[in-house]
Amino acid sequence: MSKVFVLDTNKQPLNPIHSGRARMLLSQGKAAVFRGFPFTLILKEEVSSPDVKPLRIKIDPGAKTTGLALVNDKTGEVVWVAELQHRDFQIRDALTSRRQLRRFRRSRKTRYRKPRFLNRTRPKGWLPPSLNSRVANILTWVKRLSSLCQINAISQELVRFDTQQMENPEISGTGYQQGTLAGYEIREFLLEKWNRTCAYCGAKDTKLEIEHIQPRSKGGSNRVSNLCLACVPCNREKGNQDIKDFLKGKPDLLKRILGQAKRPLADTSAVNATRWNLYDNLRQTSLPVEVGTGGLTKYNRTIRGLDKTHYWDAACVGASTPERLITSGIKPLLISAKGHGTRQQCRTNKLGFPVRYCSRTKFHKGFQTGDIVKAVVTSGKKVGTYVGRVATRATLRFNISTKDGLVQGISHKYCKHIHKKDGYAYAY
């Protein structure tokens, strides 16, 4: 498990401590639980002139999942890691559904509607709501972690792939491509584009080689649009054959590969659209911001022998990565963005007609939908212990979403707060 954050009685951040020491402070009555996720203690006394070691927060932004890590630059110790799962396209789909319902309702009105004055201009730096949500999630957690520990620097993976270098290796000299990062930018791009599988047989979890779709001996180039990934047996079997000859008996596979080769990465486009906005917002924190590329991140992770995960990628972002990372005992916190509910006054059917009323009462017996609770049921048909996000009901019989599924009809009398609603769900 990652280390536990500690605050003194004035809510000033101290050095994170081992979970064993945290248990000792709780058992001795010297501290209390301040926050459930990430787990934070608050001491019952003030600490005068503490020796707090600064940490660096490292961010590996992604379209669906962002990796976060706190690293001590001097000792190389990884203090805390997490994976932040974004709402992806849920926001876009919700806005699309609302727009369709509104337009359908308006089309049923036969009266003339005067055109609305076009005064809804977009401000500078505007992002679509689905993309802006990704940036807001990351900034929220940078702010939270800054209040729980001493952060003195930020590292961000700004450029996932250096497309100019991939298209033209001579753009700034051959030294860039022939140095220690040779091939890492292109290979990382291809791994993402082809979903880490063989383009010909779909094999996973095996050694993959960079393959020229149109062989160079027959006029093929080194452009990324002519490259794919192939396992060793498929690469040897194809050799220098034309892909149309190699897949003449599989027209569907041939069509898919040729289409995938020219298709851009949708997730990469989302990251590229938000990276500079995130960078500008991080600079406003008045902390020094270091940037790095995806190729450098993979190189750092490879030479340190770490697995391919979002949080280890985050720990390896930037040139400031220590030569030796201490990763023993680290268990990532899995964070999922859930939003803060809806302001709809009623629920509608597929045609946009109201079908039922939405209660405006948010709290029931001190609980609200989105709280993380622990319910210990001692009698009835549902005896057991349940932990998860709660959905409150006016009947005072709540639903709890646990890791094993949804449990319905749990009385509020059995529920106890673990973490107040903050728009996120958590797991280890």
Side-chain angles (χ1 to χ4, degrees), residues 205-237:
D205 301 325
T206 186
K207 184 178 178 181
L208 299 175
E209 300 177 341
I210 297 178
E211 157 72 7
H212 290 79
I213 298 176
Q214 183 69 16
R216 294 194 62 189
S217 60
K218 297 186 178 181
S221 67
N222 283 325
R223 295 179 67 88
V224 179
S225 58
N226 189 46
L227 299 178
C228 69
L229 292 176
C231 62
V232 177
C234 290
N235 197 9
R236 290 178 179 175
E237 182 180 356

Side-chain angles (χ1 to χ4, degrees), residues 357-425:
Y357 171 75
C358 289
S359 173
R360 295 289 86 195
T361 304
K362 298 297 183 182
F363 288 87
H364 298 91
K365 296 297 182 179
F367 298 93
Q368 69 170 324
T369 298
D371 290 346
I372 299 178
V373 302
K374 179 179 181 180
V376 181
V377 182
T378 57
S379 61
K381 297 181 179 179
K382 300 176 181 177
V383 175
T385 302
Y386 309 101
V387 178
R389 281 169 57 91
V390 67
T392 59
R393 297 290 183 267
T395 60
L396 303 184
R397 303 192 69 83
F398 303 156
N399 299 340
I400 302 177
S401 298
T402 68
K403 64 179 181 179
D404 297 324
L406 179 65
V407 181
Q408 298 181 341
I410 302 298
S411 173
H412 74 281
K413 298 179 182 179
Y414 299 119
C415 297
K416 181 179 179 181
H417 270 116
I418 293 180
H419 190 82
K420 295 285 188 177
K421 170 191 173 183
D422 60 357
Y424 297 91

Side-chain angles (χ1 to χ4, degrees), residues 13 79 116 165 271 322 379 394 407:
V79 175
R116 181 174 179 174
Q165 291 285 359
V271 174
S379 61
V407 181

Side-chain angles (χ1 to χ4, degrees), residues 111-362:
R111 68 180 179 86
Y112 172 74
R113 294 176 61 90
K114 185 179 179 179
R116 181 174 179 174
F117 179 67
L118 185 58
N119 61 351
R120 295 173 289 179
T121 58
R122 294 173 177 174
K124 185 179 180 180
W126 178 88
L127 286 175
S130 58
L131 299 183
N132 188 59
S133 173
R134 296 180 173 92
V135 177
N137 288 338
I138 297 174
L139 294 177
T140 295
W141 277 94
V142 170
K143 182 178 179 181
R144 288 187 183 182
L145 294 174
S146 298
S147 66
L148 300 179
C149 60
Q150 185 68 40
I151 294 178
N152 68 337
I154 301 175
S155 294
Q156 176 200 354
E157 186 179 279
L158 181 63
V159 183
R160 184 61 172 165
F161 312 109
D162 193 342
T163 54
Q164 289 183 329
Q165 291 285 359
M166 291 189 296
E167 291 291 345
N168 182 11
E170 304 291 337
I171 191 169
S172 61
T174 58
Y176 180 90
Q177 289 289 317
Q178 295 176 357
T180 56
L181 290 178
Y184 274 88
E185 298 287 350
I186 295 177
R187 185 172 180 83
E188 184 67 12
F189 180 87
L190 293 175
L191 287 171
E192 292 289 337
K193 185 173 184 178
W194 296 93
N195 199 25
R196 302 179 184 274
T197 61
C198 175
Y200 300 122
C201 68
K204 295 184 178 180
D205 301 325
T206 186
K207 184 178 178 181
L208 299 175
E209 300 177 341
I210 297 178
E211 157 72 7
H212 290 79
I213 298 176
Q214 183 69 16
R216 294 194 62 189
S217 60
K218 297 186 178 181
S221 67
N222 283 325
R223 295 179 67 88
V224 179
S225 58
N226 189 46
L227 299 178
C228 69
L229 292 176
C231 62
V232 177
C234 290
N235 197 9
R236 290 178 179 175
E237 182 180 356
K238 180 177 180 293
N240 66 340
Q241 297 182 62
D242 188 290
I243 189 172
K244 295 180 180 179
D245 296 333
F246 179 61
L247 298 177
K248 60 182 179 181
K250 302 177 181 178
D252 294 337
L253 179 59
L254 174 63
K255 182 179 179 180
R256 182 183 65 82
I257 292 178
L258 295 179
Q260 177 72 6
K262 297 182 179 180
R263 191 186 319 164
L265 275 173
D267 291 344
T268 303
S269 301
V271 174
N272 289 340
T274 58
R275 56 179 178 167
W276 286 108
N277 187 286
L278 175 61
Y279 175 71
D280 292 338
N281 281 280
L282 291 176
R283 290 187 61 185
Q284 295 179 9
T285 61
S286 71
L287 293 174
V289 180
E290 174 198 43
V291 297
T293 67
L296 177 60
T297 298
K298 182 176 181 180
Y299 174 74
N300 289 338
R301 176 173 52 81
T302 302
I303 65 175
R304 287 162 180 80
L306 299 176
D307 296 332
K308 168 61 181 174
T309 60
H310 293 285
Y311 51 90
W312 290 140
D313 277 346
C316 296
V317 168
S320 64
T321 305
E323 293 185 3
R324 179 174 177 268
L325 289 175
I326 303 175
T327 61
S328 59
I330 292 295
K331 190 175 183 180
L333 176 64
L334 306 180
I335 309 168
S336 300
K338 296 295 183 181
H340 292 275
T342 176
R343 293 178 292 177
Q344 283 184 325
Q345 296 183 356
C346 64
R347 295 288 185 256
T348 61
N349 60 13
K350 63 179 181 179
L351 299 178
F353 291 99
V355 292
R356 63 185 178 89
Y357 171 75
C358 289
S359 173
R360 295 289 86 195
T361 304
K362 298 297 183 182

